[in-house]
Amino acid sequence: MYNPIFNYDDDNFIYQTSDDMGIDSDGDIHMRISDNMSMDIDTVELHFNSGWQNSDDDNDF
């Protein structure tokens, strides 16, 4: 299970669907570019965010 990612540019959350893809609370699909950056697939805009998790990350807090 992934934690929501905060999208600083749109002030909403991206919900990860896999290690490299996610959908935000507006319904836009994002592709991971780096740990703190994603690209909106429809607009091809880059967005700064709080950070993506990998499926092999330890999810125990």
Side-chain angles (χ1 to χ4, degrees), residues 17-40:
T17 56
S18 69
D19 279 351
D20 296 324
M21 299 297 289
I23 188 166
D24 70 16
S25 43
D26 292 332
D28 299 323
I29 298 172
H30 287 259
M31 181 175 70
R32 176 183 183 171
I33 301 297
S34 68
D35 285 343
N36 292 32
M37 188 177 289
S38 64
M39 181 179 69
D40 184 320

Side-chain angles (χ1 to χ4, degrees), residues 1-48:
M1 182 106 178
Y2 299 103
N3 294 320
I5 303 158
F6 187 73
N7 182 351
Y8 293 111
D9 294 315
D10 286 344
D11 292 328
N12 63 13
F13 287 93
I14 300 171
Y15 301 94
Q16 259 182 277
T17 56
S18 69
D19 279 351
D20 296 324
M21 299 297 289
I23 188 166
D24 70 16
S25 43
D26 292 332
D28 299 323
I29 298 172
H30 287 259
M31 181 175 70
R32 176 183 183 171
I33 301 297
S34 68
D35 285 343
N36 292 32
M37 188 177 289
S38 64
M39 181 179 69
D40 184 320
I41 297 297
D42 295 326
T43 64
V44 195
E45 293 176 340
L46 295 179
H47 293 257
F48 294 99

